Amino acid sequence: GGPYGRYKGLVGPWELPLPSGGGCVVELVRAQADPFAPPARVAVRVDGATAGFPRELWATPVRRRALASFLARRAAAGASGERALSVDGGGQEVLDRSSCRVDPEDGSVTLRLGAALPGQGRRIDGRAAQRLLCRLLPEIAERSLLYGSLDADEVRRFVNTVEDSDMLRAALPARGLVAFVADGAVLPRRSGVDDRPATGSGVVPFASPEELRVSVELPHAGRVTGMGIPEGVTLVVGGGFHGKSTLLRALETGIWDHVPGDGRELVVSRDDTVKLRAEDGRGVERVDVHAFVDHLPTGADTSDFSTDNASGSTSQAASLCEAVEAGARVLLIDEDTAATNLMIRDARMQALVAKEREPLTPLVDSVRSLHRDHGVSTVLVMGGSGDYLEVADLVLMMDAYQPSDATSRAREVAAVPTGRRAEAEHFPPVVHRRPVPESLDSQARGRTRVRARGEDALSFGESEVDLRAVEQIADPRQVVGIGLALELLVRRGHVDGNRTLAQALDLLDADLGDADGGGGVELLLSVRDEDFAVPRRFETAAALNRLRGLRVRRDGADAADAAGASDGAGS
């Protein structure tokens, strides 16, 4: 019955007994200011001896991530009937989350969750609080965080599945592959809003074309076979509704490990894979897009291009250049969401509109140079332009969700001349930019403001960052992680005005890596104790590039500007 604010007196760790013996520590990390504020943050810890997980389940960073994901899901299921509790269990992807961590030293387990502290009006409901904090949380800990309470075979299967996926992904570069799709994989999803595997008699399991079938030995699944997509330019063709975009979507999410039963457990893409699309209206800050855009009617310098309102073509050009700048080595593009005039200019349009009147140079003319000169492979879904047949190393035909190797036939078709002329031969070197730290300001009215709005937007300081076109964000908690990573870039001094964006991202990767057993989670928690998932560098870079007010410096260009200003002053 005391004033609600007295909950703050409980902040700190408290030792509580578990129902069957032993104990746990319940820590109130942050109390609510009032009943209508965001829920309090609570951490529940069970030491390694009490948790009892065999060391082999948490012996490596990958296995710790998998075990923590399994435990968070079990805790979320155990708390599902309690409206006062919220546990971030995750979806189909197995991400490095703040909601659960397994300590690399002793196997102790920490579960972090939200708790709406009970109140009646603005008074404390003491009996409900006692039930929540002293009974319910220890019960969830016992049911969800103790090895003896769980199905040992289920735990081991989950951890082993994630380890197989991770090892398969790591094996791709040495084999000259950008992706692998296992035989028997289920690629279709139930719907656009339900990412679980489709079911029913109409679902066609994936079967690799014989010409592309490779086998890989994995530690738990043993020898697995499937389709290996080689480095270079791959074209995915076929009629509408035959599975082209479904395959590309599977490759897009193949950067993440998946839960057992997802159907895509052994569908993997390289870590440095980035999906691109057109994005009308986005801001662009000093990106060299002259490989695609030249001699604009406005006279703007496209080798140092900025705009507050990019068109579909300039936005896609900027996104491609930004991805390569950030270190992407595999690009995924679906013609359905691409800017047509950036993808292709056919012979008839070349005849009608002279090149000197057309500022755009289509990707079809530089996609081979991207691979040859920069080591960047591309996988394109294309159903409407045959000009890409001339530049493809591999052509995959999708027919009723079944792939076949159509490369030989495509080359026969491409041998018939169309009269189209190539408008470029080389993709130029990447121009690196140096973000100005003062332009990454997370403060709003004197307080840090980092908040996700679903998977589509990030509130960062006074800015709203539109992330709708960043399609490899798999979970809203990653959006929170992206915001915290942006803040960390400045706090750790990685963005200092002198380092390039790629150099800053390298330092961030070192911070967020799991070599020390969860350092990334702990560092981001130091920014704010919140439910988040650790992001990749590419989604963090994409958010930074879409931050209104971002300022960057560029080698050469800024020096030339300074020299010009000095010459002008002298004259």
Side-chain angles (χ1 to χ4, degrees):
Y4 196 90
R6 289 184 63 186
Y7 269 126
K8 293 182 180 180
L10 295 180
V11 170
W14 302 83
E15 295 183 12
L16 294 174
L18 294 171
S20 62
C24 66
V25 174
V26 173
E27 179 181 2
L28 184 59
V29 177
R30 185 176 72 244
Q32 287 168 261
D34 62 67
F36 310 103
R41 293 294 295 171
V42 178
V44 181
R45 300 187 181 92
V46 180
D47 64 56
T50 303
F53 291 96
R55 178 174 288 274
E56 58 97 5
L57 287 174
W58 47 273
T60 66
V62 170
R63 293 177 76 79
R64 284 193 292 277
R65 171 168 57 88
L67 177 58
S69 179
F70 180 90
L71 300 180
R73 293 165 195 276
R74 184 54 58 95
S80 60
E82 300 293 335
R83 296 177 58 186
L85 297 179
S86 57
V87 181
D88 176 26
Q92 298 298 104
E93 296 80 19
V94 180
L95 307 176
D96 192 6
R97 297 177 180 274
S98 62
S99 56
C100 192
R101 179 177 178 242
V102 179
D103 191 275
E105 298 298 326
D106 61 2
S108 60
V109 179
T110 300
L111 176 72
R112 290 181 173 87
L113 64 157
L117 300 177
Q120 295 179 345
R122 296 187 180 273
R123 314 296 291 184
I124 291 174
D125 186 339
R127 295 186 185 278
Q130 188 245 5
R131 174 184 176 273
L132 175 69
L133 299 173
C134 302
R135 289 172 45 201
L136 185 57
L137 290 178
E139 287 174 3
I140 290 175
E142 178 159 301
R143 293 196 303 265
S144 308
L145 308 182
L146 304 188
Y147 184 61
S149 301
L150 303 171
D151 183 325
D153 291 338
E154 186 181 4
V155 176
R156 189 163 280 103
R157 183 168 73 99
F158 193 102
V159 172
N160 290 347
T161 296
V162 173
E163 186 171 51
D164 276 346
S165 172
D166 182 81
M167 294 190 73
L168 178 58
R169 185 178 299 105
L172 295 177
R175 289 173 168 260
L177 302 176
V178 301
F180 177 91
V181 185
D183 289 327
V186 176
L187 306 187
R189 302 291 95 186
R190 295 191 184 183
S191 73
V193 295
D194 188 343
D195 201 37
R196 292 175 296 173
T199 58
S201 58
V203 176
V204 180
F206 189 87
S208 172
E210 196 58 43
E211 302 91 330
L212 300 173
R213 181 170 283 119
V214 297
S215 62
V216 182
E217 193 72 32
L218 297 177
H220 310 291
R223 183 171 293 276
V224 297
T225 63
M227 180 178 72
I229 298 179
E231 296 172 349
V233 180
T234 296
L235 203 61
V236 183
V237 302
F241 308 101
H242 280 260
K244 303 188 303 296
S245 296
T246 299
L247 173 60
L248 196 74
R249 173 63 179 165
L251 301 182
E252 174 186 327
T253 63
I255 58 174
W256 311 117
D257 301 319
H258 292 86
V259 299
D262 175 80
R264 300 170 295 183
E265 299 95 319
L266 295 177
V267 178
V268 297
S269 301
R270 284 177 43 163
D271 290 322
D272 48 10
T273 299
V274 174
K275 172 76 179 300
L276 301 175
R277 62 170 297 161
E279 185 180 356
D280 286 324
R282 66 155 289 196
V284 177
E285 180 65 14
R286 304 194 68 180
V287 178
D288 180 2
V289 297
H290 86 274
F292 300 108
V293 188
D294 199 6
H295 61 266
L296 286 174
T298 62
D301 180 6
T302 59
S303 67
D304 191 352
F305 181 72
S306 300
T307 181
D308 290 328
N309 187 20
S311 66
S313 55
T314 55
S315 66
Q316 185 177 329
S319 294
L320 188 152
C321 296
E322 290 164 351
V324 176
E325 178 190 11
R329 291 298 175 265
V330 184
L331 304 177
L332 307 179
I333 302 175
D334 191 333
E335 67 173 352
D336 283 351
T337 56
T340 301
N341 55 350
L342 192 74
M343 298 297 290
I344 188 64
R345 200 163 86 97
D346 65 19
R348 287 191 174 95
M349 197 57 70
Q350 286 182 328
L352 180 65
V353 181
K355 176 57 183 170
E356 56 267 23
R357 307 304 299 171
E358 172 53 78
L360 294 178
T361 301
L363 176 63
V364 68
D365 291 327
S366 59
V367 69
R368 289 205 60 79
S369 173
L370 265 173
H371 180 243
R372 181 185 64 245
D373 302 325
H374 302 279
V376 178
S377 299
T378 310
V379 181
L380 305 107
V381 165
M382 191 67 61
S385 174
D387 288 323
Y388 274 88
L389 299 177
E390 297 183 23
V391 299
D393 297 301
L394 170 67
V395 178
L396 277 175
M397 175 79 74
M398 296 298 295
D399 186 358
Y401 287 91
Q402 292 287 7
S404 62
D405 184 351
T407 309
S408 297
R409 175 58 181 152
R411 287 176 178 160
E412 292 175 4
V413 172
V416 179
T418 65
R420 186 185 183 279
R421 303 178 305 278
E423 298 179 354
E425 294 182 359
H426 300 288
F427 192 89
V430 175
V431 174
H432 287 279
R433 300 168 299 151
R434 303 171 187 272
V436 176
E438 292 77 15
S439 65
L440 275 69
D441 187 0
S442 65
Q443 298 296 302
R445 299 178 182 177
R447 303 179 66 179
T448 299
R449 180 172 176 256
V450 176
R451 185 180 307 142
R453 294 172 56 190
E455 296 176 18
D456 293 339
L458 168 69
S459 298
F460 187 79
E462 300 285 357
S463 301
E464 296 292 323
V465 185
D466 188 343
L467 298 173
R468 285 175 295 176
V470 186
E471 296 186 331
Q472 286 169 291
I473 294 174
D475 189 292
R477 305 303 182 186
Q478 285 179 307
V479 177
V480 179
I482 289 167
L484 298 178
L486 291 176
E487 173 73 2
L488 199 63
L489 279 169
V490 178
R491 286 196 185 188
R492 302 278 286 185
H494 301 335
V495 167
D496 62 358
N498 295 314
R499 291 190 183 92
T500 66
L501 175 57
Q503 290 170 336
L505 293 172
D506 288 343
L507 293 173
L508 180 68
D509 276 349
D511 279 347
L512 300 186
D514 202 9
D516 62 350
V521 167
E522 296 301 325
L523 271 175
L524 294 178
L525 281 170
S526 72
V527 179
R528 182 173 175 80
D529 192 308
E530 199 70 74
D531 283 331
F532 62 80
V534 178
R536 288 195 313 164
R537 64 187 285 142
F538 300 106
E539 284 70 54
T540 301
L544 182 148
N545 283 315
R546 287 160 177 77
L547 186 64
R548 302 284 182 175
L550 172 70
R551 300 196 310 278
V552 301
R553 302 186 179 106
R554 287 185 18 152
D555 291 340
D558 290 329
D561 289 346
S566 176
D567 292 344
S571 63

